[in-house]
Amino acid sequence: MLSYLVFLPLLFAIFAYFLNDKSVKINAVIFSLIIVILNIYAFISNDLRFAYTLINTINFGIILDANNIALLLALVANFMLFISMCFFDDYKKDFLICAMILSSCMNGLFFTNDALLFYIFWEVSLLPLLYLMLKHNQAVLAKRFFIFAFLGSILMLLSIIYLALNSFNSSIMNFNMVYFSTSSFTMKEKTLLFLGFFLAFIIKAPIFPMHSWAIKTYDKAPNFVSVMLVAFKMAPFGFLKFLVPLFADVIAQYHNIILSLCLISALYAALLAASAKNYKELCALSSISHIGILSLGVFSLNQIAITGAVFYMIAHAIVSGAMFLFADIIYKNTKTYELDKLKGLAFANPKLSLVFGILLFSSISLPLTINFVGEFMVLYGLFENARIYGIIATFIVVLGAIYMLKMFRECFLGQDNKLILKANLYQKIILGFLCFLCVLLGVVPNLILELI
């Protein structure tokens, strides 16, 4: 089953090449829906392992083995891909090809148990996003994104090779992560290996001080790219896949430094968001701030906080993804993201304003919404293991509520300028369904928590 999720999107990409532009939309919806259905079926299937050796001498091959966390993160990424295929209209077959390649890479990265293959999926997943940026005349943005991501991942590759050369109970280079062990390494070796992974992951997450590429990328990139960047939780998954199980003692030794970086990232992004003048920039900074809080949960090494962080990954993908979908409606109707030009939207658009209000309340973690559950568990775990960080993180959460509510007051409840936001029926249904999920999983979080 996992092999279908990895390779079927590639077949869809090949098929998409022969489509005419008129049939792209319906095929995009069908392809992405099939992927979501297969992902759901994987939860009830026992066929969750696949292995095929490609190069015997280094034990490199296609090794797929998924746990519930990997399945959940893949599902939310594939679900947001399906939502995007339904939501956006102005795309051609090259867009669909990129989306299917991205889906294959997402699933491969979440499911593979071969470290070299993980690296390959990590790198290839950049290509469709870079292509879409270049197509939308964002060459400078694409270049910066590539440089940051590529340089960081080279360090990760070096760490992977070193682990493979010293894999447990193996006389050959072995990229199967089952045999990875750091128990025989010195603390210096562990620290250097940790840094190789850590730098790659915090660039992509993004976490301070490697966050600068993300603000402009989220802001200027096509909305589909922005949605998928927040939906595809590759870096937080990397934290859980490599750093926590292999380098827990390094994290413990440098606990204050790591938590401080996450905290600075969350606080710095929140302070910038408070003065943002652009809707997409505000969403980007808010997203980066949330990632900082989420990462605090992972690196707290507290089980409740880690569980909350995984839930928060899912919540963040849905809520922040929906906020970027709403950005598309705003821009197509107003031709601007500037907040000072968006006044009194609620007067002419009461229904869409209600939808946006629910998404906003979810974003600021109002009780009984999806973000509240993950954020509360992260903060609870922080107060158990690192109280001072929990106190500051709570302040950041309150700051986030302040700037988001201020934006809502000024853009939706300010002076009526009679701007009408037009959305087609299925766009309204999509946003309404995402709001329903935000409330449902906030009221009944055990639907997800029992699977983590």
Side-chain angles (χ1 to χ4, degrees), residues 122-329:
W122 178 280
E123 292 288 36
V124 176
S125 67
L126 297 176
L127 300 181
L129 299 176
L130 288 169
Y131 173 82
L132 292 174
M133 289 182 200
L134 290 170
K135 186 181 178 183
H136 285 76
N137 301 315
Q138 296 293 340
V140 175
L141 194 69
K143 182 179 179 182
R144 177 186 244 191
F145 178 46
F146 173 78
I147 291 172
F148 266 88
F150 182 74
L151 290 179
S153 57
I154 286 296
L155 297 175
M156 176 173 67
L157 177 60
L158 294 175
S159 293
I160 287 173
I161 292 173
Y162 192 87
L163 284 168
L165 285 168
N166 296 275
S167 54
F168 174 72
N169 197 27
S170 177
S171 58
I172 60 173
M173 183 185 289
N174 194 335
F175 287 100
N176 189 333
M177 283 184 265
V178 171
Y179 299 102
F180 279 10
S181 173
T182 59
S183 59
S184 62
F185 295 161
T186 66
M187 182 55 70
K188 183 178 179 180
E189 286 178 300
K190 292 180 185 179
T191 302
L192 290 173
L193 290 170
F194 170 83
L195 285 174
F197 287 108
F198 184 67
L199 288 173
F201 295 152
I202 67 170
I203 287 173
K204 198 65 71 72
I207 297 293
F208 178 89
M210 303 296 183
H211 66 289
S212 59
W213 68 269
I215 299 173
K216 288 298 181 184
T217 301
Y218 282 60
D219 180 16
K220 301 297 183 183
N223 285 315
F224 169 76
V225 173
S226 299
V227 171
M228 294 317 299
L229 282 173
V230 298
F232 185 12
K233 290 291 183 287
M234 56 195 303
F237 179 72
F239 294 159
L240 297 172
K241 184 82 170 178
F242 290 94
L243 300 187
V244 173
L246 291 175
F247 304 103
D249 50 350
V250 178
I251 296 172
Q253 180 162 333
Y254 299 100
H255 205 215
N256 288 332
I257 295 175
I258 296 169
L259 292 185
S260 294
L261 289 176
C262 298
L263 199 63
I264 292 169
S265 183
L267 179 59
Y268 180 63
L271 291 173
L272 289 178
S275 59
K277 305 298 182 184
N278 177 295
Y279 173 81
K280 274 195 78 176
E281 184 181 0
L282 177 64
C283 290
L285 290 164
S286 175
S287 175
I288 293 170
S289 184
H290 290 161
I291 290 293
I293 300 292
L294 180 159
S295 301
L296 280 170
V298 173
F299 291 118
S300 69
L301 299 182
N302 177 281
Q303 189 56 52
I304 294 175
I306 292 175
T307 302
V310 174
F311 190 95
Y312 205 178
M313 293 177 201
I314 297 165
H316 179 263
I318 294 171
V319 177
S320 294
M323 298 289 277
F324 281 115
L325 291 176
F326 207 93
D328 194 67
I329 292 176

Side-chain angles (χ1 to χ4, degrees), residues 5 117 128 168 180 195 204 252 333 348 367-368 394 402 425 436 443:
L5 282 164
L117 196 59
F168 174 72
F180 279 10
L195 285 174
K204 198 65 71 72
N333 286 277
L368 301 182
T394 303
I402 292 172
L425 179 60
F436 169 74
V443 174

Side-chain angles (χ1 to χ4, degrees), residues 19-40:
L19 295 175
N20 59 58
D21 288 337
K22 292 182 180 179
S23 62
V24 167
K25 172 79 175 183
I26 183 63
N27 280 281
V29 173
I30 293 172
F31 292 167
S32 54
L33 178 60
I34 290 172
I35 295 168
V36 171
I37 291 171
L38 288 174
N39 206 152
I40 294 172

Side-chain angles (χ1 to χ4, degrees), residues 34-85:
I34 290 172
I35 295 168
V36 171
I37 291 171
L38 288 174
N39 206 152
I40 294 172
Y41 180 74
F43 273 106
I44 59 176
S45 170
N46 291 321
D47 184 18
L48 293 179
R49 288 180 176 83
F50 177 85
Y52 183 82
T53 302
L54 296 173
I55 306 175
N56 285 319
T57 54
I58 60 172
N59 201 24
F60 166 66
I62 302 170
I63 304 171
L64 307 177
D65 188 0
N67 57 22
N68 280 353
I69 292 176
L71 286 168
L72 281 170
L73 294 179
L75 178 59
V76 74
N78 287 318
F79 171 71
M80 292 307 296
L81 178 67
F82 166 66
I83 289 294
S84 298
M85 294 297 98

Side-chain angles (χ1 to χ4, degrees), residues 393-413:
T394 303
F395 166 75
I396 296 170
V397 171
V398 173
L399 179 60
I402 292 172
Y403 65 69
M404 292 298 283
L405 290 172
K406 178 185 174 184
M407 180 271 289
F408 186 78
R409 183 192 66 191
E410 292 178 352
C411 294
F412 286 82
L413 304 178

